[in-house]
């Protein structure tokens, strides 16, 4: 390669690298949600789940709601004073509902797609669903779950999951992986909880209902 060709190559390489750096420094918007686990349920070392007490049950899962303060924000890079954000155009509540259902099915829970055939209903409220990146990626998923029998609330509890990992800065794949692993852990751990199983089977004490004042108050 002569000196003139070498100069052109260097200039082109510099242009490509500067473009890549500029792209990496920009917030990302309207990204889809992608299920990309790097962990398995076995990695969480949970106690064996005894599903015998759920015999005869049919559990329906109704669409979850999203109570996150910012319903589109799923990632934030805080390595500098100017934060870079990742926002999704997908329905977070629907994504969490679908994968909660799939995880429970995979664990052997008797999930039905026909609500009219169920005797137990599981609903959820997404309280946190996102990743913060500083030196590492840290995912945080929190879901308030409620078990109903008819119109009665039998049980309420929190499904919590967190995943961390090192990786190249502001990489969308890393955000997907940490979010997925956090959700997987949240659902797997609550599924192995005896209080959750007691709620489904009817052994739990019904959750207290809020007091109601006199009519018109």
């Amino acid at each position: 390669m002569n000196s003139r060709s070498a100069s052109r190559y260097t200039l082109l390489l510099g242009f490509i690298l500067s473009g890549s750096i500029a792209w990496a420094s920009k917030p990302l918007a309207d990204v889809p949600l992608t299920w990309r686990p790097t962990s398995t349920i076995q990695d969480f070392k949970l106690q064996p789940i005894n599903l015998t007490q759920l015999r005869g049950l049919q559990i329906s899962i109704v669409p979850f709601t999203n109570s996150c303060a910012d319903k589109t924000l799923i990632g934030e890079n805080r390595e500098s004073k100017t934060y870079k954000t990742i926002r999704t155009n997908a329905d977070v509540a629907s994504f969490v509902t679908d994968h909660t259902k799939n995880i429970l099915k995979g664990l052997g829970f008797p999930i039905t797609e026909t609500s009219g055939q169920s005797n137990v209903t599981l609903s959820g409220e997404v309280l946190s669903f996102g990743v913060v990146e500083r030196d590492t990626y840290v995912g945080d998923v929190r879901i308030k779950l409620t078990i109903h029998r008819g119109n009665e609330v039998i049980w309420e509890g929190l499904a919590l999951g967190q995943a961390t990992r090192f990786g190249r800065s502001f990489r969308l794949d890393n955000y997907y992986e940490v979010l997925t692993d956090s959700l997987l852990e949240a659902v797997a751990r609550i599924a192995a909880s005896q209080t959750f199983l007691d709620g489904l089977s009817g052994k739990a004490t019904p959750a207290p209902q809020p007091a109601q004042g006199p009519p018109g108050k």
Side-chain angles (χ1 to χ4, degrees), residues 14-201:
F15 176 78
I16 293 172
L17 290 177
S18 63
S20 299
I21 293 171
W23 176 86
S25 66
K26 294 180 180 178
L28 298 177
D30 296 333
V31 302
L33 285 175
T34 301
W35 183 254
R36 191 165 293 173
T38 63
S39 299
T40 66
I41 290 176
Q42 288 71 30
D43 293 332
F44 306 132
K45 300 179 180 179
L46 305 174
Q47 293 294 325
I49 303 175
N50 182 3
L51 297 177
T52 57
Q53 66 192 84
L54 304 185
R55 287 175 182 169
L57 285 183
Q58 290 291 307
I59 305 166
S60 65
I61 299 180
V62 299
F64 292 1
T65 60
N66 184 357
S67 294
C68 298
D70 189 328
K71 293 176 173 53
T72 65
L73 182 66
I74 60 169
E76 196 164 54
N77 176 290
R78 300 181 180 178
E79 293 177 305
S80 63
K81 292 182 179 179
T82 303
Y83 293 172
K84 293 176 288 188
T85 58
I86 296 179
R87 296 182 178 278
T88 184
N89 57 6
D91 186 332
V92 169
S94 179
F95 182 85
V96 175
T97 304
D98 291 343
H99 287 288
T100 298
K101 185 183 300 183
N102 291 339
I103 295 166
L104 292 178
K105 278 185 176 180
L107 290 170
F109 282 73
I111 306 298
T112 178
E113 299 292 339
T114 307
S115 59
Q117 295 179 354
S118 67
N119 39 24
V120 174
T121 302
L122 178 67
S123 63
E125 178 185 1
V126 181
L127 304 177
S128 177
F129 185 81
V131 177
V132 171
E133 179 192 1
R134 290 188 177 94
D135 296 330
T136 59
Y137 290 84
V138 179
D140 178 50
V141 171
R142 285 173 284 158
I143 312 164
K144 179 183 176 182
L145 295 174
T146 304
I147 298 172
H148 308 259
R149 281 180 175 268
N151 294 323
E152 186 176 27
V153 174
I154 297 298
W155 178 90
E156 292 179 329
L158 289 177
L160 308 173
Q162 187 177 83
T164 61
R165 104 173 0 87
F166 291 98
R168 292 180 61 186
S169 178
F170 206 57
R171 299 283 293 187
L172 185 57
D173 284 352
N174 289 333
Y175 283 89
Y176 284 150
E177 290 168 359
V178 173
L179 266 180
T180 298
D181 287 351
S182 297
L183 177 54
L184 181 62
E185 181 183 27
V187 179
R189 289 197 181 281
I190 200 67
S193 164
Q194 190 57 50
T195 59
F196 179 69
L197 294 170
D198 286 346
L200 291 172
S201 66

